[in-house]
């Protein structure tokens, strides 16, 4: 069976609803990919209370925000104050985070967790999922209603949102997808001037 990773955004829901979504899909470990794992508006999703609640529900928790978060400590990952996802993905720290995800798959059913409900609004999709799939691991996004969206379908929505064709006479689908990732990544990437209110 092909290896698979889920992703999920905690959004504004109650923990009980979040737990049900995880259990619906057999998730046994949550990988927190927020750079800053705290929420002022939704304190039950801050690192310590979340880890405790998950443990009580029989679900493991691991923080990989340093490795797979959207904010980098590496100055080379920035351009004009904004993170460049392509650069961040190539860093040793980021790749070590992907290595840990791969190792975790040997024991757990994993869900990569961040804050945003919509996968396209979050680096877990535009940065992390893209790189996970490059390693031959299938990614499926758990949506707010409990349904699943394969990452390939998320990519199709990205192309539609940016009004890009899937392929044309002059460019392959791979080239167009890569351009879409760059365009959208530049729109949603963390910039150092931003306030830290919404952690990613």
């Amino acid at each position: 069976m092909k290896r698979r990773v889920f992703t999920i955004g905690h959004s504004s829901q109650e923990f009980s609803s979040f737990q049900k979504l995880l259990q619906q899909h057999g998730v046994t470990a949550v990988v927190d990919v927020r750079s800053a794992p705290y929420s002022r508006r939704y304190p039950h999703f801050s690192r310590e209370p979340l880890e405790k609640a998950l443990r009580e529900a029989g679900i493991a928790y691991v923080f990989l925000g340093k490795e797979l978060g959207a904010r980098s400590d590496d100055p080379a990952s920035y351009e004009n104050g904004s993170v460049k996802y392509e650069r961040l993905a190539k860093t040793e720290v980021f790749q070590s985070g992907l290595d840990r995800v791969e190792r975790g798959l040997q024991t757990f059913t994993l869900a990569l967790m961040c804050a945003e409900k919509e996968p396209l609004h979050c680096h877990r999709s535009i940065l992390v999922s893209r790189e996970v799939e490059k390693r031959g691991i299938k990614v499926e996004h758990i949506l707010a209603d409990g349904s699943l969206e394969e990452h390939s379908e998320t990519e199709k929505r990205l192309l539609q949102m940016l009004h890009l064709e899937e392929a044309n006479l002059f460019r392959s689908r791979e080239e167009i997808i890569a351009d879409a990732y760059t365009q959208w990544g530049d729109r949603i990437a963390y910039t150092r001037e931003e306030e830290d209110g919404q952690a990613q």
Side-chain angles (χ1 to χ4, degrees), residues 21 24-25 117 142-148:
L21 289 176
Q24 177 183 340
H25 297 289
K117 176 171 65 175
I142 301 173
L143 304 182
D145 64 358
S147 62
L148 294 176

Side-chain angles (χ1 to χ4, degrees), residues 61-93:
Y61 170 93
V62 62
F63 176 67
L64 287 186
K66 178 174 173 55
E67 293 86 352
L68 300 179
R71 306 179 188 189
S72 176
D73 294 330
D74 184 353
S77 296
Y78 290 81
E79 183 177 299
N80 298 323
S82 294
V83 171
K84 293 295 179 182
Y85 285 166
E86 291 86 354
R87 297 182 189 178
L88 179 53
K90 293 175 182 176
T91 63
E92 187 175 334
V93 170

